[in-house]
Amino acid sequence: MNRSNFSLRRAALAAGLAAAAAASSTAALAAGDDLAAAEWDAPFVFNMVRSPGLASSPACVVNAKGRVSIQKVGEAEEMTVQLQGLPANTEFDLFVLSVPNFPFGMGWYQGDMKTDWQGKARQKFIGRFNKETFSLAIGNSVPAPHVHDSPFPDASATPLTPPVHQYHLGLWFNSPADAQKAGCPGAVTPFNGEHNAGVQVLNTSNFPDLAGPLKRVK
């Protein structure tokens, strides 16, 4: 075999080995991608519906709808809430609740949402939105910050409260005046930061009282 043919064969062998290595790396990368994808849970998606408490107000936000997606993010959850069919450029308050309808049980203030000119809104929240979501107070009559006096004064002490799970969501008008402009009742409720919100607009009463949607998130 002359030197020229030997060199060509060496070059072909090297190219073959390089191709095999590349193919092996690609396969390993693909396997790694599949593994990484398998580690991500699919988001849990559900709807919010018009509050049954508005049944006696047929002209009030008749097209209101909500759609919620909860995605695991490490040791917490990312909850995306989308709204439509609401008054334009209006503020609302989102709460996590024990039960969706009055008297709501235990609730905590999750955050604010504001609609655009089309009456739509979209907001992401990071927190604990799964079957372990709960509130508690292990001591009776523990002093509590007293910030607001009216129309729903803050408690000056925390009552003893065993763990209470909260698996539902509720959305309120931030202002009774905005609610009235939308053809809704003008009642004042404590469901905003100043405890002077309007009526509930949407909730998750499309799920059983004791098995709200957050309970389905593992």
Side-chain angles (χ1 to χ4, degrees):
M1 180 183 298
N2 60 38
R3 181 179 297 274
S4 176
N5 288 339
F6 181 72
S7 297
L8 288 173
R9 291 189 66 179
R10 287 188 62 185
L13 179 60
L17 291 172
S24 176
S25 297
T26 301
L29 180 60
D33 287 345
D34 290 343
L35 179 61
E39 291 173 351
W40 282 91
D41 295 324
F44 174 51
V45 180
F46 58 92
N47 293 328
M48 296 180 70
V49 299
R50 184 174 180 266
S51 174
L54 301 176
S56 61
S57 303
C60 171
V61 294
V62 293
N63 297 314
K65 296 178 181 178
R67 193 162 180 83
V68 181
S69 173
I70 299 179
Q71 172 71 63
K72 296 289 290 184
V73 181
E75 296 303 314
E77 288 80 43
E78 179 182 84
M79 181 170 70
T80 302
V81 181
Q82 299 182 78
L83 310 174
Q84 66 180 55
L86 294 171
N89 305 311
T90 302
E91 294 182 350
F92 295 87
D93 303 275
L94 183 70
F95 276 72
V96 180
L97 306 166
S98 299
V99 294
N101 297 307
F102 183 84
F104 310 113
M106 185 76 73
W108 51 277
Y109 186 13
Q110 180 55 47
D112 298 334
M113 298 185 69
K114 185 175 181 179
T115 57
D116 60 15
W117 64 278
Q118 294 181 306
K120 298 180 179 180
R122 185 175 187 273
Q123 183 65 54
K124 288 186 177 182
F125 303 94
I126 302 291
R128 185 89 289 183
F129 308 115
N130 71 2
K131 65 177 183 179
E132 296 183 350
T133 300
F134 74 98
S135 298
L136 82 164
I138 62 173
N140 192 25
S141 299
V142 176
H146 190 95
V147 181
H148 300 97
D149 288 315
S150 61
F152 293 90
D154 289 322
S156 58
T158 303
L160 177 65
T161 307
V164 177
H165 286 281
Q166 292 130 290
Y167 295 142
H168 283 279
L169 300 178
L171 185 80
W172 274 260
F173 275 103
N174 183 61
S175 163
D178 286 339
Q180 288 183 302
K181 285 192 294 184
C184 303
V188 181
T189 71
F191 292 90
N192 69 5
E194 291 75 35
H195 316 326
N196 58 2
V199 295
Q200 189 188 66
V201 182
L202 295 169
N203 66 23
T204 49
S205 57
N206 45 327
F207 291 82
D209 278 2
L210 301 183
L214 272 59
K215 187 177 182 180
R216 301 192 183 187
V217 182
K218 306 300 183 182

